[in-house]
Amino acid sequence: MEDTILVVNCGSSSLKLSLFDHHLSKLASAAAERLNTKDAGARIGGNDEGIALKPDASHEQALEAIVSALQNLELMASRPAAVGHRVVHGGETFHEAVVIDDDVIKAIDDCAELAPLHNPVNLCGIRATRALFPGVQQVAVFDTAFHQTLPERAYLYAVPRSWHRDWGVRRYGFHGTSHAFMAIEAARLLGRTPATTSVISAHLGNGCSITAISEGVSVDTSMGLTPLEGLVMGTRSGDVDPGLFDFLGSKGVDAEEVHQVLNHQSGLLGLSAQTNDMRSLCELADHGHEPSKTAIEVFCFRLARYIGAMMASLARLDALVFTGGIGENSARIRQQTIGHLGLMGFAIGTDLNKNHGSFSDGRIESPDSRFPILVIPTDEELVIAQEASRLAGRPEPADQHS
Ligand code: ADP
């Protein structure tokens, strides 16, 4: 109960907390949802009873209520040893996780222009935790940091250089914590070191992105200036023709509305006109719902195209990795995607793919595949806890994933 590491992940209307012991084993998790609305609610994982929140509860109020519930359940001592925060955008300023001080808070605030929906709310979590636990070391772990190694050819858009120089217009990439974890875990499963391992990592959750990792370093990724670019996602379109804005403008749809629709009503939801949830979409497709089948086809085909594109960034490939809720759980999506990649020599083992959970090495390729294919559960909270623990100067636990 002592020496815990608290991990805080603030979304626009949600708050997720995870608590780790000093071996970095997870002790508890908790989540608050629909914050700042009359339906605000929170609960601790594995505990059916919800935590009472006032209507319109803020992030700060939810944080206080959850921490006090964790303390009442004797899961948490009065103060954690360190707190790790997920921060979405670190711009070109942050190349790695950092200990939070007033300068860091200002720099995260400066990056808010690039992530107006995320950075302000991440800061809100940081400020609330600082107020609740004064003097406790706080660490920021950035979604963008792992991609700060992208070469110029991968991060520059072919637009006037002044846009980058004056306004920071370039590709940043996101989901870096998950992709960094894949680089380490894939190397471990293959019996190699991260510095000698090159993988393509496909993180497929509600947001989806794919990254080419050369010898442990991110060299190309599908998300760009914002997390809208690239693959088809739950409600996000991924790549569209930028000419769409002008075209829809001529139809009377203004840029703000296009932005809203591309972020919140597109992707799997837009194509199926039913749901953004892949599991529900697969069930609908099984019952013959044609738009759901089409949504799945577009999703898998776009993903396969991107896997092909990522090959151009690598001199060698040690494995293709699937992760995230869809990547970890949907044999169908993995099979359908790999089905497009026979020419490149990828081949899936049908039984291994369906039963990969029973095999600890995560391998799902068939013996004649040119490359290994792996399924690896992601654990972004653990990575954030590791970074918070490391930067707080705590000794590395012997049994910690590394
Ligand atoms: P987030 O990005 O919010 O963390 P997750 O990584 O949990 O999301 O992924 C959520 C997605 O994973 C949802 O679309 C969900 O339907 C999908 N998913 C989870 N299990 C399955 C499954 N067995 N088959 C297909 N999709 C699944």
Side-chain angles (χ1 to χ4, degrees):
M1 191 174 65
E2 288 182 358
D3 281 359
T4 51
I5 306 282
L6 184 65
V7 171
V8 180
N9 182 352
C10 275
S12 51
S13 62
S14 69
L15 169 73
K16 288 187 198 153
L17 291 191
S18 306
L19 191 68
F20 292 82
D21 69 13
H22 63 288
H23 294 297
L24 298 186
S25 298
K26 198 180 271 187
L27 291 170
S29 55
E33 290 177 332
R34 298 181 291 277
L35 295 173
N36 302 305
T37 74
K38 64 177 176 32
D39 299 321
R43 68 178 58 251
I44 292 182
N47 195 332
D48 286 341
E49 256 178 59
I51 299 169
L53 289 184
K54 291 192 190 111
D56 297 315
S58 63
H59 287 80
E60 288 87 343
Q61 288 165 330
L63 179 75
E64 271 180 48
I66 293 174
V67 164
S68 130
L70 287 171
Q71 288 168 342
N72 288 341
L73 290 170
E74 298 195 352
L75 288 166
M76 189 175 176
S78 52
R79 289 150 55 95
V83 184
H85 293 270
R86 174 182 178 221
V87 179
V88 167
H89 217 307
E92 291 183 313
T93 311
F94 295 106
H95 297 237
E96 57 188 357
V98 291
V99 173
I100 297 171
D101 59 18
D102 290 342
D103 290 342
V104 168
I105 288 186
K106 173 159 186 333
I108 294 173
D109 201 21
D110 290 344
C111 296
E113 197 182 36
L114 293 164
L117 297 179
H118 295 104
N119 276 30
V121 83
N122 298 155
L123 272 177
C124 167
I126 291 172
R127 291 197 174 103
T129 323
R130 269 183 136 195
L132 202 55
F133 303 117
V136 171
Q137 186 107 286
Q138 315 257 341
V139 167
V141 181
F142 300 90
D143 276 18
T144 48
F146 182 59
H147 302 299
Q148 279 296 294
T149 48
L150 293 188
E152 224 180 22
R153 65 169 184 267
Y155 76 67
L156 282 182
Y157 290 113
V159 297
R161 292 297 291 250
S162 58
W163 289 10
H164 175 221
R165 193 183 56 235
D166 298 342
W167 300 323
V169 173
R170 52 159 283 181
R171 314 184 65 258
Y172 290 95
F174 298 85
H175 290 144
T177 316
S178 177
H179 291 303
F181 188 63
M182 291 306 118
I184 293 166
E185 280 296 283
R188 188 179 67 77
L189 289 169
L190 296 168
R192 308 173 63 94
T193 61
T196 59
T197 307
S198 296
V199 299
I200 293 175
S201 160
H203 176 108
L204 312 174
N206 279 315
C208 300
S209 72
I210 183 163
T211 294
I213 301 169
S214 174
E215 302 186 330
V217 167
S218 172
V219 290
D220 197 5
T221 194
S222 59
M223 284 178 168
L225 175 71
T226 73
L228 183 57
E229 190 178 342
L231 302 175
V232 175
M233 310 182 211
T235 62
R236 285 174 250 169
S237 62
D239 296 341
V240 291
D241 183 341
L244 187 68
F245 279 80
D246 195 39
F247 176 79
L248 289 177
S250 74
K251 304 281 175 201
V253 187
D254 68 17
E256 175 53 33
E257 191 177 341
V258 181
H259 171 86
Q260 275 294 112
V261 174
L262 293 182
N263 274 287
H264 303 294
Q265 290 163 43
S266 297
L268 298 173
L269 174 63
L271 283 166
S272 67
Q274 291 289 322
T275 175
N276 63 327
D277 184 84
M278 183 60 93
R279 197 173 0 192
S280 311
L281 212 56
C282 291
E283 283 163 15
L284 283 164
D286 285 342
H287 286 92
H289 187 252
E290 287 303 324
S292 296
K293 282 189 203 164
T294 308
I296 292 171
E297 267 169 36
V298 177
F299 181 93
C300 294
F301 177 62
R302 176 87 59 86
L303 173 58
R305 276 175 69 193
Y306 259 98
I307 292 169
M310 289 293 145
M311 301 278 276
S313 285
L314 297 174
R316 52 176 282 149
L317 180 66
D318 296 304
L320 168 65
V321 182
F322 286 96
T323 192
I326 299 171
E328 290 164 32
N329 296 305
S330 180
R332 173 194 197 138
I333 297 300
R334 296 190 297 258
Q335 173 126 24
Q336 207 164 318
T337 303
I338 298 299
H340 291 291
L341 295 168
L343 192 58
M344 289 189 180
F346 288 95
I348 208 154
T350 310
D351 289 340
L352 283 175
N353 183 39
K354 285 194 183 133
N355 303 312
H356 79 91
S358 347
F359 304 96
S360 58
D361 67 359
R363 304 272 294 251
I364 59 163
E365 78 276 11
S366 75
D368 57 341
S369 182
R370 199 172 148 209
F371 306 104
I373 307 172
L374 298 171
V375 178
I376 302 180
T378 194
D379 197 341
E380 289 161 287
E381 283 92 11
L382 174 65
V383 178
I384 296 172
Q386 285 171 341
E387 291 290 65
S389 171
R390 184 177 64 80
L391 286 170
R394 308 183 58 70
E396 277 199 22
D399 60 347
Q400 179 180 336
H401 277 87
S402 59

